[in-house]
Structure formats: C-alpha cells, structure tokens
Amino acid sequence: MNKEDFLRELASELADLPEKDREDAIKYYSDYIDDAGYDPDTVIEELGSPKAVAATVRNEAGIITEPGPVSNPPGTMVRPAPAASDRADRRRLPAWAIVLLTILSPLIAALGLSALILGLAVLLVIIVLALALPCSTLLCAAAGIMMLIAGADVIRHFVPIGFFTVGGGFAFLGAGALLLILSALYLCKFLPFCFRSVFFSRADKSAAAKEGMA
Amino acid sequence: MDAIVLAVVNMDAEGTYGYKITQDVRTIMDVSDSTLYPVLRRLMRDDCLEVYDREFNGRNRRYYKITEKGRAQLNMYKGEWYEYSRRLNRVFTGERLIYEGSGPENAEDGTGDE
C-alpha cells in the first residue's frame, strides 16, 4: 500500500469527522510519511492499518502507548485532584464505621463482658489449682499414713482387713507422691510462666509510661 | 506524555514537525508512530501549541511551536516532576534531604539547556 492509498483510506475512515479535523490528520500523516522516507510499499507496515490509525485520531484522549522503559511521563503522575479525593475517602470511612460501631455496641459490650468473665474464670481456676494441688497432696499423704497406722493395728485382730487397710494406705501414699510431682510442676513451672507472660507485657507498658512522665 | 511532547517541541525555537517529534520522544520511550498525533491535537486544542506551514524541499511542511500557555504548562510539569523525583529519590536512597531552596525554581534554571 503506497502513501496515496493509505491517505485515501484514512480519509474515508474519518469521513464522519469535521472537515478541518480530517484534513489536519491527513496533513500530519502525509508529512509524516514524507519525512520518515518510508518505502512507498511498506507504509502500512510502519504505521499500521488506516483503520487503526483512524481510531487513534478519533480518540484524542486515549493514547495507545506500547509498554516502554519509561512508563510514568511526568504529566500523568502528580495530580492533586485524585489525591484530594483519596483523602476525602479516608475521611468518609470512619463515619460509617462509627455508625456500624453504634449499631453493634450492645453486641460488642456483651462480647467484652463475656471475655472479661472468661478471663476471671481462668484466673480463678489457676488460683484454685494452685491451692488444691498441694492440699490434696497433703491430704493423700495424711490419709495414707493414717491408714498404714490403722492397718497395722487392725492386722493384729483380723488379717484380711488389716492387709486391705495397709494396701489402701500405700495406695494413698502413691497417689500423694504423684500429686506432689504434679504440684511441684504446677507451682515451679506453670505459675512462673503465667506470671512472666503477664508481668513482662505490663513491665513494658509501665516502663513506657515512666518514660512518658519523665 | 503531554509534558514530554511539550518539552521536545520547546527545544526548537523555530518549531518542529511531526516525524521529528516522534523520533525525539522515541529516544526516551517506546511509542508507536500513531501515538503522538492525538497528543499534538490535544495540546493544540488547549492552546499549548500552534501550527504553521513552511516550505521544505518543494512542499509545505507543518510545524508545531510552543505557545506562552504551553510554556507555562511545561514549567508546571517540570515543577511536578522535580517534586516527584525528589520524593522518589528519598524513598529509594532512604535519605532525608535537607530542605534548601524551593524545588520548582531550581527546575526552571535548567530550562535553557534541556
């Protein structure tokens, strides 16, 4: 396709545009082809089809660019308008968030209260276990010792019951030994771990508060 | 894109023509032949560019020349670019630049030799 054919087809593609716009485009591409010095037969390979070129002429705002090394021309970057609308969007967000929070506030309060109660219950369980484990250890030991003493007395009068009582005493002493291990683990390992995790986070906060005051 | 075309046209006091503008823009970014006509049209519609025909090798070639409004627009783009590149620089290098002098003025100093 040579220059004349190309321009003729371009003109017919742009037939519905105002005459001046059409002539402008024809003039531009006529100059362009002359200045580029394209081989008359390869104009279409260089420029693209008249139809495609006509589409770019028609669409002044839409620039078709091929992905190049510089994809951010200065004219397209720092636009104050979108930034302002962004900020407005950010300011609008808390408004509906506040409404949502107001609507959900009974639910949130209930959830918060139950979380608090759950926390207190866990604390209570920890404290009760701390008391109950050593107590039951002592009780088991005491019961075991008493049953051994009682069994030793009974065994002199009636052997089977005496053996049974002494056996029960040993069983209690065994349970007491197991409980002793359990309470030792609980008091020496688990409780310090709990205190450390609670107090370390508090210590950080109080240190920050002290710094803030000073 | 508008800024690059304005800057390229601004380089020639006499004005320049379509093919040369395309070639100049191509030295910095990859654009197709038909990319620039819409840009030139838009700049003309906004009175940033004006056209005149001048004889060249026995034919009339259309030249594009920057207007006063176009030059003002270009200076604005330069200011934006200066500001943008300064911020980008700070992000990339992680340095806090000392604020000395205002940006756009420094950018305008380079108008002549760009």
Side-chain angles (χ1 to χ4, degrees), chain A residues 2-207:
Chain A
N2 63 27
K3 179 189 164 192
E4 280 68 34
D5 290 340
F6 180 88
L7 294 178
R8 204 176 308 119
E9 276 194 36
L10 182 62
S12 71
E13 289 289 341
L14 297 171
D16 57 322
L17 290 188
E19 203 184 330
K20 193 180 174 308
D21 291 352
R22 186 169 58 245
E23 279 176 2
D24 264 357
I26 301 296
K27 172 74 179 148
Y28 177 84
Y29 280 106
S30 168
D31 275 359
Y32 196 95
I33 293 165
D34 287 340
D35 290 327
Y38 290 146
D39 186 323
D41 299 323
T42 60
V43 166
I44 194 166
E45 278 98 272
E46 305 284 354
L47 286 177
S49 72
K51 203 172 186 140
V53 172
T56 68
V57 171
R58 223 174 265 282
N59 183 15
E60 254 186 41
I63 311 159
I64 300 150
T65 44
E66 294 158 7
V70 179
S71 49
N72 269 336
T76 60
M77 298 170 309
V78 195
R79 296 270 184 211
S85 72
D86 270 6
R87 240 173 279 136
D89 279 350
R90 245 173 267 149
R91 235 178 272 135
R92 219 171 293 135
L93 198 79
W96 63 258
I98 287 166
V99 171
L100 199 70
L101 283 174
T102 315
I103 293 168
L104 291 178
S105 59
L107 188 68
I108 292 167
L111 281 174
L113 201 65
S114 35
L116 190 70
I117 290 168
L118 193 70
L120 282 175
V122 167
L123 193 67
L124 206 67
V125 165
I126 288 171
I127 292 167
V128 164
L129 269 178
L131 292 173
L133 277 175
C135 282
S136 37
T137 308
L138 284 175
L139 278 176
C140 277
I145 289 163
M146 281 198 284
M147 279 180 87
L148 280 182
I149 293 165
D153 189 45
V154 169
I155 210 163
R156 265 181 281 159
H157 308 289
F158 192 65
V159 177
I161 290 181
F163 268 117
F164 179 79
T165 315
V166 171
F170 275 118
F172 266 111
L173 276 180
L178 283 177
L179 278 171
L180 183 70
I181 293 168
L182 205 61
S183 357
L185 280 177
Y186 185 83
L187 290 174
C188 301
K189 287 269 151 78
F190 182 70
L191 276 189
F193 163 76
C194 284
F195 274 118
R196 221 178 297 134
S197 47
V198 171
F199 275 107
F200 260 100
S201 58
R202 284 225 185 116
D204 286 350
K205 271 181 209 157
S206 60

Side-chain angles (χ1 to χ4, degrees), chain A residues 21 24-25 27-29 31-32 34-36 38 46-47 56 60-61 63-64 66 70 73 75 77-78, chain B residues 1 17 19 22 28-30 32-35 37-38 40-42 45 59-62 64 80-81 84:
Chain A
D21 291 352
D24 264 357
K27 172 74 179 148
Y28 177 84
Y29 280 106
D31 275 359
Y32 196 95
D34 287 340
D35 290 327
Y38 290 146
E46 305 284 354
L47 286 177
T56 68
E60 254 186 41
I63 311 159
I64 300 150
E66 294 158 7
V70 179
M77 298 170 309
V78 195
Chain B
M1 196 69 201
Y17 52 95
Y19 181 70
T22 306
I28 52 162
M29 65 193 288
D30 193 13
S32 72
D33 292 272
S34 54
T35 302
Y37 180 69
L40 290 169
R41 278 287 299 180
R42 189 169 58 234
R45 193 193 55 207
R59 64 187 170 86
N60 262 335
R61 188 151 70 183
R62 181 153 293 179
Y64 296 81
E80 280 182 4
W81 171 252
Y84 179 77

